[in-house]
């Protein structure tokens, strides 16, 4: 878990291992495709507690988000599933880097983790990135799914601003693949698509939107998390529209492995 008590210098500078990983990631993303970044984080919000929420479109999109954040000069942290943080090699590196754990299947554990995340968000200076959808979208058009209210409730509890991140193109780098990896055969679609991506040179687009206005949401009133979540998800969706002109119905890139069994409630186009 993220250490809640830090001295001033460590709070103001990301761990060296995480800065190194971000630099390596930037090279990887530039090798695979072409990154375009628009928008940014206002100067008044830099080096202050900040929550960033992004749509989830593919297994490669976290790498693209990391590179985009590096491009605008911020070192983000992610809220990650416990399985990733427990993985050999990469898990310890991510834990040392200050990423937060979420285990949704255990209610008692999740409550404690929510409290820890709220405190960490209030007291640190690097933004925290959360995927409100919780998984890669199953909407046929790859529009944001309904998602969960956890990110909104976290923002309200911590009293921090929310920056919506809209992204497009990362889904073209690597196929969705399968829900769980049960053997080498499950990795074949990911490997084939990933290895061919540098030749296809997909265009990765990331837009950092204006802070979401949650001033009319009263945190103590029933349903506050639902209302804040709707504001956040709609902001992400609105920011996605300019990035996918010509693809408002469905993605031009077809991934035969991605499920398409849900419908986005946020699409209005």
């Amino acid at each position: 878990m993220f250490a809640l008590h830090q001295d001033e210098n460590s709070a103001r500078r990301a761990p060296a291992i995480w800065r190194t990983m971000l630099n390596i990631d930037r090279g990887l993303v530039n090798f695979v495709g072409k990154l375009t970044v628009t928008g940014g984080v206002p100067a008044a919000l830099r080096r202050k507690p900040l929550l960033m929420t992004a749509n989830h479109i593919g297994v490669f999109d976290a790498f693209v988000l990391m590179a985009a954040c590096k491009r605008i000069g911020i070192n983000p942290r992610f809220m990650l599933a416990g399985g990733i943080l427990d993985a050999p090699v990469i898990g310890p590196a991510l834990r040392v880097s200050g990423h937060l754990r979420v285990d949704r299947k255990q209610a008692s554990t999740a409550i404690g983790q929510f409290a820890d995340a709220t405190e960490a968000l209030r007291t640190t200076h690097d933004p925290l990135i959360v995927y409100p959808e919780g998984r890669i979208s199953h909407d046929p058009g790859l529009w944001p799914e309904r998602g969960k209210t956890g990110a909104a409730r976290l923002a309200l509890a911590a009293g921090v601003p929310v920056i919506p991140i809209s992204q497009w193109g990362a889904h073209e780098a690597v196929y969705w693949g399968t829900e769980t990896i049960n053997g080498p055969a499950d990795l074949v679609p990911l490997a084939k698509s990933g290895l061919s991506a540098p030749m296809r040179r997909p265009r990765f687009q990331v837009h950092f939107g204006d802070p979401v206005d949650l001033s009319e949401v009263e945190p103590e009133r029933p349903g506050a998390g639902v209302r804040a979540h709707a504001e956040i998800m709609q902001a992400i969706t609105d920011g996605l529209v300019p990035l996918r002109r010509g693809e408002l119905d469905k993605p031009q890139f077809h991934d035969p492995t991605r499920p398409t069994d849900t419908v986005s409630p946020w699409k209005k186009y």
Side-chain angles (χ1 to χ4, degrees), residues 54 56 78-84 100-114 129-136 145 147-151 153-154 179 229:
H56 204 356
F78 286 81
M79 182 165 279
L80 300 171
I84 298 176
L100 304 184
R101 174 188 296 267
V102 58
D103 293 304
R104 298 186 181 91
K105 293 184 179 180
Q106 301 180 21
S108 59
T109 302
I111 292 172
Q113 290 171 352
F114 182 86
I129 294 181
V130 177
Y131 289 112
E133 295 167 89
R135 68 177 185 180
I136 296 169
E145 288 191 322
K148 305 179 185 298
T149 62
R153 292 187 292 108
L154 182 61
E179 192 74 46
H229 174 70

Side-chain angles (χ1 to χ4, degrees), residues 8 19 25-26 33 54 67 78 117 130 151 159 191 215 219 238 257 263:
E8 183 177 355
R19 298 197 306 272
D25 172 78
R26 179 172 57 180
F78 286 81
V130 177
S215 60
D238 292 345
T257 68
V263 177

Side-chain angles (χ1 to χ4, degrees), residues 221-246:
R221 294 193 63 179
V226 174
R227 290 191 291 273
H229 174 70
E231 294 288 342
I232 291 169
M233 294 305 299
Q234 197 60 61
I236 293 172
T237 305
D238 292 345
L240 183 59
V241 175
L243 306 185
R244 51 180 298 174
R245 296 191 187 281

Side-chain angles (χ1 to χ4, degrees), residues 9-30:
N9 289 332
S10 65
R12 292 184 179 278
R13 188 169 176 81
I17 189 170
W18 181 232
R19 298 197 306 272
T20 300
M21 292 171 71
L22 287 171
N23 285 328
I24 294 173
D25 172 78
R26 179 172 57 180
L28 172 65
V29 171
N30 288 337

